[in-house]
Amino acid sequence: MSLSRQVTTLWAKKRSQEGEHYWLPLITHLLDTQNTINWLFNHWFSDGQRQLLAQRSSEENIEKLVKFLGFIHDIGKATPVFQVKRSFDGDSELDIEILEKLFEGGFTGLDELILAAPQESQHARAGEAILDREGVPESITAIVGAHHGKPEEGPQDKQIATYTANYLQRDVGKNSADKKIQENWKQVQKTLFKYGLNLSGYESVDEIPDVNQPEAVLLEGLLIMADWLASSEYLGNDTAVPLFPLISLDQSFEELDMKKRFRNAMMVWYQTGEWVPDQIDTKDDLYKKYWGFNARPVQQIMTKAIAATKDPGVVIIEAPMGLGKTEIALLAAEQLAFKTGQNGLFMGLPTQATTNAMFARVEDWLEVLAKMQDENFSIKLMHGKAEFNEDYRQIPNASNVDDEGAVVINSWFSGKKSILTKFTVGTIDNLLLMGLKQKHLFLKHLGFSDKVVIIDEVHAYDSYMNQYLYKAIEWLGAYHVPLVILSATLPKLKRNALLKAYYKGKYGKHFKKNVIAPIGWQNQQAYPLLSILDDKEIKQITDFNGQSDQKSVELQVKRLQVTDAEVIQTVLQRICNGGIAGIIVNTVKHAQVLAKLVPDDVKLMVLHSAFLATDRVFLEKKLEKTIGKNADRPHKMIVIGTQILEQSLDIDFDVMFTDIAPMDLLLQRAGRLHRHCIKRPKTLERPRLYVMGINEFGDYGSANESIYEKYLLMKTDHFLSDKIQLPNDISSLVQNVYDNNTDKEVDQLIEARDKFNTDLQREEKKAEVFQIDAPNLAVSATDDDMTIHGWLSRGQNHVDTDERKAAAAVRDIQETIEVILVQHLGTGDFLMDGQNLKDCSPIKIAQQVVQIPGAIVPSYKINQVISQLETQTSHYFSDWQDSRWLRGALALPLDKNYLGELAGWKLHYSPILGLSYEKEDDDE
């Protein structure tokens, strides 16, 4: 089927540069996108993704649909409303030349066209309307209408009748000339439509299938990715490396070699290999091969059990701290990827600190895979400070690596495209955001659907975050994404909820009716425990012969009801003959108060969230080097920190003091006590845990009760005995606290329980407000609920464009302000370490950020304070706006004593204590 000159004259893109005019014929962009999406489907998509889309049809039929979407996505640009659009840079000369080209192609009167409501028919919506007119199924037209990131509320079948001139240049065909113009546009649109049908392998529109909602989301994500790639003129900002460039205005479509154009672009863009997982032979000790140690009995048994699965969905690994769950999970990722046809990995963790620590381990594992397969694999660190991570910054760009078998970075996968990187390590909010309504959410779903997903420290998420976690897991189930979940202290109710969420997403309703499970699985308290959802069957592995290779430790527990000064005196007494004491408290302020009471002659380290980002990274590394595995430990030392110390840092205390916390978190903290088999001072050879903050039963102080529910603290207080056997007692202690059937054993609990239940219901309800719906697996040609129409309606403002707002939305935390601390003196401006800003690179300055505590800037004041800081920053550091690292950054000047003022508060920064604050009139 040949194309008329009219069709090839339509434009898709135009721009000016240094006096030169460029354009891209619409047909060129449609073919570029079709070629790209077809290549992505066949070469970038995982086998698992292709199988999912083809489960109700065939791969051949889905490929036809993919090609059709790629070609037809911008048919809405074949309209007068688009063709008369002005260029972005307002180049009227370019606009006139384009109109002249259209006139020569047979389009008349466009230079005089004035449309009453052009804004009502932006081209994605117009494309959906044209396809509605041509009889394409609604589930498919909705994909075209949403390819700029957000679906319409419903079908656009009334668009053309309501805004006829936008589509046909005339509202009414009053005379033969008007009718001829209208027919001309109809014919052009029908020609493109039929050309797209035939090129995709369809003979008629009736052959186009309906798709269900998860299938539509994946196809939408793939279309957006293909469109963005086919719209990339160059690889990143490097104009020397073209992908799909615009052409000179005097060139035509007919002059282009489309095959060569596409082939050159993909050779440049596709810079890494595809992971092809091997089947793991459980007869070999892969732990020895990968990590240099023999598999522990628990690791060996779990790896064999995972190998025996047929259609694995969820793997939940519950085992003690320090047993090697991460290694089990990484091997499981290979096993599950092989079984399910996945070709990527996402590892999610609670915090930036835990993510940074895990990133190095995943990078090492990936390097082994890359060398084994002799391919380069791309990796991405995903959190707000990723670009400041030194390990990450050392990884070479894929375009600069000639050898095979390396771990690299592909710069094209940035921003919203980051999750499309095949191997990713990030904070958990990246996964939780699968459930939040936001523009271009399809890309996030696409990015997760080709991976094995590992969630570490799953116990660390509160009831609000859990609602987003369950929603994300439902959608992972809908995509048949294998999921590995790790925890040392998982309540059984949460374990059951995780399994049910995945089952519901994969199979729909009727969990109780259809699931196959052993009797009493919901109340299983064995430890270690491996729970697997294999097809519709729940399997639980409880027998680990030889699990005693992890030495059992009896922990002595003592409640400490003393003042802060007496706490420090007790700590000093315990380490008088040497030893490392850890003090973990629930607030930064409490950590700082205790730190000030430590004598100057005692070695001290403090770690919490109120340090400069650079100082915190330095302190974390220093702490692991000082008291981590195989460290050369100091004779005597006190470490004071907050919850940071309970998560993923491989550190070891001889004695521990901790504020009261819910049982699972208390046990996580205890996991840093006598963690390794090393020689200890004689008086500290038996591990002791001192629990602070219990004034009396039911009274834990306002600070502790504002952070943790009093109900959980009371139950922890009740079930916490003076001796704990680790790891044997872990599960029973956690289950006793979180099982409401044990409430009757605890006195005076009614009021706290009622508050807990009320707060829980409120958090769950609040989490639902901006969440997407559960996946709808049904297929219908007429029901909007079964398409993506309205899927992202009524979302939260600004989460599309502000990463921090989006993360705050799924964590239910107050939006915060980050500032760069600068010592502003008469002699110049300096970093906190004394370096003059003039001698520092922009990236080094940008790293000197600290978060302003929420108490200083409540949400109702945040815009006012930001405005104040912006004014101050532009006054002192106007040149920051010229730097990509510093543009938009906020500075907080401090004086020679490292003191500053903000919003009526006095602030002070110390490299030992971090950022502290007090009301300006507190000492007046």
Side-chain angles (χ1 to χ4, degrees):
M1 181 178 176
S2 60
L3 293 171
S4 66
R5 189 182 175 198
Q6 271 197 318
V7 171
T8 61
T9 304
L10 296 169
W11 65 274
K13 302 173 188 296
K14 57 182 177 178
R15 66 172 173 81
S16 305
Q17 185 176 337
E18 297 177 355
E20 296 292 323
H21 291 163
Y22 300 90
W23 79 308
L24 196 68
L26 175 58
I27 185 62
T28 304
H29 178 60
L30 299 184
L31 290 170
D32 281 344
T33 309
Q34 184 184 58
N35 288 333
T36 300
I37 199 171
N38 190 46
W39 188 93
L40 292 172
F41 177 77
N42 283 294
H43 301 285
W44 184 84
F45 243 31
S46 69
D47 288 343
Q49 287 171 308
R50 284 192 295 270
Q51 289 162 12
L52 179 76
L53 291 176
Q55 63 185 337
R56 295 181 301 100
S57 179
S58 69
E59 205 166 298
E60 181 185 356
N61 287 336
I62 292 300
E63 186 174 0
K64 287 181 183 179
L65 178 58
V66 164
K67 290 167 74 174
F68 176 71
L69 285 169
F71 182 87
I72 215 68
H73 79 287
D74 263 355
I75 195 172
K77 290 183 176 180
T79 54
V81 68
F82 182 84
Q83 292 298 310
V84 298
K85 279 187 74 170
R86 294 179 178 177
S87 49
F88 285 119
D89 56 4
D91 189 332
S92 58
E93 186 180 335
L94 171 60
D95 295 336
I96 290 169
E97 288 180 357
I98 288 286
L99 286 174
E100 287 173 353
K101 189 179 279 286
L102 289 167
F103 179 79
E104 291 168 6
F107 296 100
T108 59
L110 289 176
D111 55 335
E112 300 171 351
L113 182 61
I114 299 174
L115 297 168
Q119 73 282 358
E120 297 298 332
S121 305
Q122 49 86 6
H123 75 266
R125 180 182 295 164
E128 181 171 352
I130 291 170
L131 297 186
D132 281 337
R133 183 187 67 193
E134 298 299 330
V136 176
E138 182 189 331
S139 62
I140 306 303
T141 66
I143 295 172
V144 170
H147 81 265
H148 276 221
K150 188 175 180 182
E152 297 290 345
E153 292 294 320
Q156 298 303 300
D157 48 4
K158 294 182 174 60
Q159 254 281 320
I160 298 177
T162 306
Y163 305 104
T164 308
N166 289 350
Y167 294 83
L168 305 177
Q169 199 172 326
R170 295 287 187 268
D171 276 321
V172 182
K174 294 180 181 177
N175 50 50
S176 59
D178 287 350
K179 287 178 181 177
K180 186 176 179 182
I181 288 173
Q182 286 186 329
E183 285 302 318
N184 189 39
W185 279 106
K186 278 184 189 174
Q187 189 57 45
V188 165
Q189 293 158 7
K190 284 184 178 293
T191 297
L192 272 175
F193 177 72
K194 288 179 181 177
Y195 190 78
L197 272 181
N198 295 342
L199 207 58
S200 306
Y202 293 126
E203 292 185 8
S204 87
V205 69
D206 299 331
E207 297 175 21
I208 301 174
D210 260 302
V211 294
N212 69 20
Q213 197 182 61
E215 292 163 358
V217 173
L218 286 195
L219 289 168
E220 184 71 80
L222 184 63
L223 177 59
I224 293 171
M225 180 184 180
D227 187 26
W228 284 9
L229 180 50
S231 299
S232 299
E233 287 197 71
Y234 306 102
L235 187 64
N237 297 317
D238 189 352
T239 56
V241 185
L243 290 177
F244 296 96
L246 273 60
I247 61 176
S248 173
L249 199 57
D250 57 11
Q251 282 184 282
S252 66
F253 165 70
E254 289 77 11
E255 296 174 56
L256 293 174
D257 183 337
M258 292 300 294
K259 287 184 180 178
K260 183 179 179 182
R261 173 182 168 88
F262 169 71
R263 188 168 57 248
N264 290 346
M266 298 315 294
M267 284 176 66
V268 168
W269 178 79
Y270 193 58
Q271 300 176 337
T272 52
E274 180 187 353
W275 179 34
V276 183
D278 287 328
Q279 184 168 12
I280 284 180
D281 187 348
T282 53
K283 293 175 185 174
D284 297 335
D285 188 349
L286 288 166
Y287 292 85
K288 184 77 172 174
K289 180 179 178 180
Y290 279 24
W291 296 289
F293 61 79
N294 294 321
R296 305 177 88 154
V298 172
Q299 292 174 321
Q300 200 168 44
I301 292 167
M302 287 191 175
T303 297
K304 285 183 177 178
I306 295 166
T309 58
K310 294 180 175 62
D311 182 17
V314 183
V315 173
I316 302 179
I317 298 168
E318 297 174 60
M321 296 72 79
L323 182 132
K325 294 188 291 294
T326 299
E327 288 78 12
I328 300 172
L330 289 173
L331 271 187
E334 293 186 56
Q335 294 173 295
L336 300 175
F338 175 79
K339 288 175 178 288
T340 60
Q342 302 296 77
N343 62 5
L345 172 86
F346 172 80
M347 172 80 85
L349 298 107
T351 65
Q352 290 184 9
T354 54
T355 303
N356 285 337
M358 184 60 71
F359 179 76
R361 298 172 72 181
V362 174
E363 185 191 353
D364 289 344
W365 166 79
L366 186 57
E367 195 169 333
V368 173
L369 291 186
K371 286 177 179 171
M372 283 169 53
Q373 200 176 308
D374 201 24
E375 293 274 15
N376 292 345
F377 291 144
S378 181
I379 196 168
K380 191 82 177 180
L381 177 60
M382 294 183 63
H383 62 65
K385 299 287 186 299
E387 287 186 304
F388 299 150
N389 181 292
E390 283 302 319
D391 292 335
Y392 185 56
R393 283 163 53 79
Q394 296 301 317
I395 299 173
N397 193 293
S399 58
N400 299 327
V401 177
D402 296 325
D403 298 332
E404 303 295 338
V407 176
V408 298
I409 291 172
N410 188 330
S411 57
W412 189 85
F413 294 96
S414 60
K416 291 184 177 182
K417 304 190 295 290
S418 295
I419 191 58
L420 301 177
T421 308
K422 290 297 183 179
F423 295 92
T424 53
V425 182
T427 45
I428 193 65
D429 42 273
N430 288 286
L431 177 64
L432 303 185
L433 284 166
M434 277 186 80
L436 180 69
K437 292 177 179 178
Q438 54 184 311
K439 198 174 180 184
H440 297 115
L441 181 61
F442 306 97
L443 285 175
K444 196 167 287 292
H445 281 238
L446 175 69
F448 277 104
S449 65
D450 65 359
K451 294 175 173 58
V452 176
V453 171
I454 301 174
I455 305 173
D456 197 7
E457 311 267 16
V458 76
H459 54 269
Y461 311 123
D462 61 26
S463 55
Y464 180 91
M465 293 171 71
N466 282 339
Q467 300 312 303
Y468 277 97
L469 179 63
Y470 298 146
K471 184 59 61 73
I473 288 174
E474 280 189 52
W475 279 92
L476 292 179
Y479 301 134
H480 301 189
V481 169
L483 174 63
V484 182
I485 295 170
L486 309 180
S487 178
T489 54
L490 184 63
K492 63 186 179 185
L493 291 175
K494 188 164 185 178
R495 177 205 307 146
N496 300 342
L498 293 165
L499 289 165
K500 187 174 180 180
Y502 190 93
Y503 183 101
K504 183 182 173 188
K506 188 171 182 178
Y507 300 111
K509 301 174 184 176
H510 311 301
F511 172 77
K512 285 184 181 178
K513 181 180 176 183
N514 294 330
V515 74
I516 303 164
I519 294 170
W521 69 273
Q522 302 99 321
N523 296 309
Q524 183 60 256
Q525 292 193 28
Y527 194 78
L529 175 65
L530 178 67
S531 301
I532 301 174
L533 180 63
D534 189 7
D535 192 20
K536 293 183 179 180
E537 182 180 2
I538 292 174
K539 302 173 179 177
Q540 291 186 318
I541 314 301
T542 60
D543 185 10
F544 297 95
N545 294 323
Q547 67 192 57
S548 60
D549 79 313
Q550 189 175 33
K551 187 180 172 186
S552 179
V553 176
E554 184 177 88
L555 200 66
Q556 296 188 344
V557 180
K558 183 175 180 181
R559 289 162 170 79
L560 206 59
Q561 295 168 294
V562 296
T563 64
D564 288 335
E566 289 169 327
V567 167
I568 297 301
Q569 287 307 309
T570 306
V571 172
L572 292 171
Q573 288 168 16
R574 295 299 304 145
I575 62 170
C576 62
N577 295 317
I580 313 296
I583 307 176
I584 304 180
V585 294
N586 294 335
T587 66
V588 172
K589 265 198 174 299
H590 195 191
Q592 291 170 335
V593 167
L594 289 171
K596 289 175 182 176
L597 297 170
V598 176
D600 293 340
D601 61 347
V602 177
K603 190 176 178 67
L604 170 70
M605 278 190 70
V606 182
L607 183 60
H608 50 65
S609 60
F611 280 97
L612 288 174
T614 46
D615 286 354
R616 181 168 158 179
V617 169
F618 170 78
L619 289 168
E620 286 168 0
K621 288 183 176 179
K622 182 180 178 183
L623 190 59
E624 287 201 304
K625 284 180 182 176
T626 306
I627 60 169
K629 197 169 188 178
N630 302 320
D632 183 11
R633 296 162 72 87
H635 172 65
K636 183 190 295 187
M637 182 178 178
I638 296 175
V639 178
I640 303 176
T642 54
Q643 292 87 338
I644 291 170
L645 295 178
E646 79 193 26
Q647 295 175 338
S648 287
L649 286 175
D650 189 5
I651 51 179
D652 184 325
F653 297 117
D654 296 315
V655 62
M656 180 181 287
F657 295 73
T658 172
D659 275 344
I660 182 75
M663 185 68 78
D664 52 332
L665 304 183
L666 209 59
L667 292 170
Q668 285 289 333
R669 296 176 186 185
R672 272 71 191 162
L673 179 57
H674 286 224
R675 187 177 178 90
H676 303 128
C677 293
I678 58 173
K679 188 175 181 182
R680 303 181 189 277
K682 269 199 177 306
T683 55
L684 299 177
E685 286 178 342
R686 298 178 68 183
R688 284 187 174 85
L689 179 71
Y690 293 85
V691 181
M692 310 177 295
I694 305 174
N695 300 324
E696 61 181 7
F697 182 76
D699 179 6
Y700 309 101
S702 58
N704 291 330
E705 290 179 18
S706 68
I707 295 166
Y708 301 117
E709 284 282 353
K710 186 175 181 177
Y711 165 78
L712 295 177
L713 296 181
M714 289 178 73
K715 292 194 74 175
T716 298
D717 193 0
H718 175 83
F719 287 108
L720 185 66
S721 60
D722 57 0
K723 289 181 182 177
I724 298 175
Q725 205 73 29
L726 294 180
N728 302 9
D729 293 343
I730 289 177
S731 184
S732 60
L733 287 170
V734 172
Q735 308 317 333
N736 278 337
V737 168
Y738 283 92
D739 187 348
N740 53 20
N741 290 320
T742 62
D743 287 0
K744 56 183 177 291
E745 301 176 35
V746 185
D747 294 334
Q748 307 167 39
L749 196 62
I750 295 174
E751 185 179 341
R753 183 185 61 204
D754 290 346
K755 179 182 179 298
F756 173 77
N757 290 332
T758 301
D759 290 347
L760 183 64
Q761 290 168 9
R762 186 182 65 247
E763 290 297 291
E764 290 176 354
K765 193 171 182 180
K766 185 162 67 169
E768 290 174 3
V769 175
F770 299 116
Q771 267 189 35
I772 59 172
D773 292 333
N776 192 329
L777 305 181
V779 178
S780 170
T782 56
D783 191 341
D784 282 353
D785 289 339
M786 298 181 189
T787 72
I788 56 170
H789 278 139
W791 193 56
L792 300 180
S793 299
R794 296 174 294 281
Q796 190 171 345
N797 291 333
H798 307 303
V799 293
D800 304 330
T801 54
D802 191 319
E803 188 179 295
R804 281 187 300 174
K805 279 184 185 291
V810 294
R811 289 181 180 264
D812 192 30
I813 55 176
Q814 179 185 320
E815 187 187 351
T816 56
I817 298 174
E818 281 190 339
V819 296
I820 295 175
L821 295 183
V822 177
Q823 196 177 26
H824 183 63
L825 307 175
T827 54
D829 295 301
F830 303 87
L831 300 183
M832 295 300 97
D833 62 4
Q835 288 189 78
N836 194 310
L837 257 62
K838 290 179 180 177
D839 302 326
C840 298
S841 65
I843 186 172
K844 177 157 187 144
I845 299 170
Q847 290 175 294
Q848 313 300 308
V849 290
V850 69
Q851 202 170 84
I852 298 297
I856 293 177
V857 190
S859 54
Y860 69 89
K861 265 189 176 182
I862 198 161
N863 290 332
Q864 175 190 338
V865 174
I866 288 174
S867 179
Q868 174 191 333
L869 287 167
E870 284 175 340
T871 302
Q872 195 168 245
T873 304
S874 62
H875 175 70
Y876 290 122
F877 310 107
S878 58
D879 59 331
W880 283 12
Q881 297 309 309
D882 300 327
S883 165
R884 83 174 184 94
W885 295 104
L886 294 168
R887 192 177 300 117
L890 301 172
L892 181 63
L894 303 182
D895 65 16
K896 64 180 181 179
N897 298 314
Y898 301 98
L899 289 164
E901 180 278 328
L902 185 65
W905 293 79
K906 286 192 293 188
L907 291 88
H908 177 260
Y909 189 78
S910 155
I912 306 298
L913 299 176
L915 186 71
S916 56
Y917 59 95
E918 60 182 22
K919 262 291 187 188
E920 285 195 310
D921 55 0
D922 277 0
D923 56 356
E924 291 178 6

